[in-house]
Amino acid sequence: MNVPKVKRRRDPLSPKPVLDRRILIQALKERGIHLKELHLETFYQQLHRQHYPDLKDFVAEYHRRELSLTFKKESSSFSNKATIPTKNAISSKKGNVRRLPKAFLDFLADPENDFVTVTSSIDARPTSKDGTTTKMAIQLQDGHFIESVLMRHVSAAGSRATLCVSSQVGCAMGCTFCATGTMGIRGNLCSGEILEQLVHAGRVLAADLISSSEEYNSDDRIISADGSERKKSEQDLAFVRNIVFMGMGEPLNNYDNVITACRAMIDRRRWNLAHGRVTVSTVGVTGNMRRLTKDLPEVNLALSLHAPNQSMREAIVPTAKMYPIQDMVDALDEHMMASIKTKSVDGTFDGSERKSASKKKRAMIEYVMCKLCSRLQSLVPTPSAHMQIRSFFSERRYFHPSMCTSTG
């Protein structure tokens, strides 16, 4: 039996993802097409409104809409998408949309320019028995696979959908308890490939919404096809509300692409996620943690600490030798307090200032509790590690420890 070779590096992108802003701008410049920033924003806004069709279909739809507006008729160009909502009023607002240059539309419609809306595909998407979790095995154009996880939180007080996204193929950090860490690094995802995970998740949620055949009535409840009732708050499951970079890869080792993707996620013309609804998880790349504080201080940070002290951490996180715990915690502290101006002379924050910061955003501390692993049991006593970490962060009101149990 011939076993296929595992690719160690990623192939050059072909076709190229139109959702990758940097790649698209570079290609336009090479062809002598100078597109204004406002036109690019308009393109991405309208692509979002059309729910990310093929580029040829997008251009045809755009021309039909322009023709209908020319004759001052009510456009029906989005009628085939009426059952799929958009997240916010801005991305779906009629009128006041700038027209796109003809040269740019011709570029999009020309297949020889090697751009497509979505370069990846869902290979498998099993859903849990209770319907709350869908794991998407996404195949990239070069044959590599990544995983995204769609989590539905159903509550009478208000439901929400959270998407866990990958940022790399594999990971270079080498954490001994992590399956991705043992793969090694195969390559970075470009920003377009990161955003495609949102497109796939949106299509899954839209399919769920359509298949449910729900009708709305005037008493603020939803009547499902089976006759059951649910509060209208559950229609929030039609959209991805939260993003967590906790899939494959170390996000801050792919800094530029992750930052570009984050900015698209919070763009009010597109996904329009609140800054606090985007969380970047890191094993502790302190230099880029501080860069993130300067570039996007409003997004949340999650620190994969995994041990209460440096020696324990180095036993399970090989790269920990380069990133001392205290330095990581200081960087996280700077990020969390970035929006608060301290009144103290020495630059420290008192309890009231930390309480104020906790109302704006929270930090998550992730740690693994190892068991059935003789090499680690003597180094990481699971009950005491839990208490040590809580004690370590007791003065910081915005930290919320999160536990993961490993059976490695």
Side-chain angles (χ1 to χ4, degrees), residues 117-148:
T117 306
V118 179
T119 63
S120 57
S121 61
I122 299 179
D123 182 72
R125 57 179 181 106
T127 298
S128 60
K129 290 183 179 180
D130 61 4
T132 60
T133 305
T134 299
K135 290 186 176 182
M136 297 182 290
I138 298 177
Q139 184 172 15
L140 306 177
Q141 58 173 284
D142 57 4
H144 286 295
F145 285 86
I146 58 172
E147 185 177 80
S148 296

Side-chain angles (χ1 to χ4, degrees), residues 37 40-41 44 77-78 163 223 255 284 286 329 332 345 403:
E37 184 72 15
L40 188 60
E41 296 294 345
Y44 282 127
S77 58
F78 300 110
L163 180 66
I223 307 300
Y255 185 84
T286 51
V329 173
L332 185 55
V345 178
M403 179 182 70

Side-chain angles (χ1 to χ4, degrees), residues 68-89:
S68 69
L69 292 177
T70 300
F71 288 97
K72 297 182 180 180
K73 295 180 180 179
E74 183 68 24
S75 174
S76 61
S77 58
F78 300 110
S79 59
N80 62 325
K81 306 289 185 180
T83 54
I84 306 177
T86 51
K87 171 139 189 333
N88 56 81

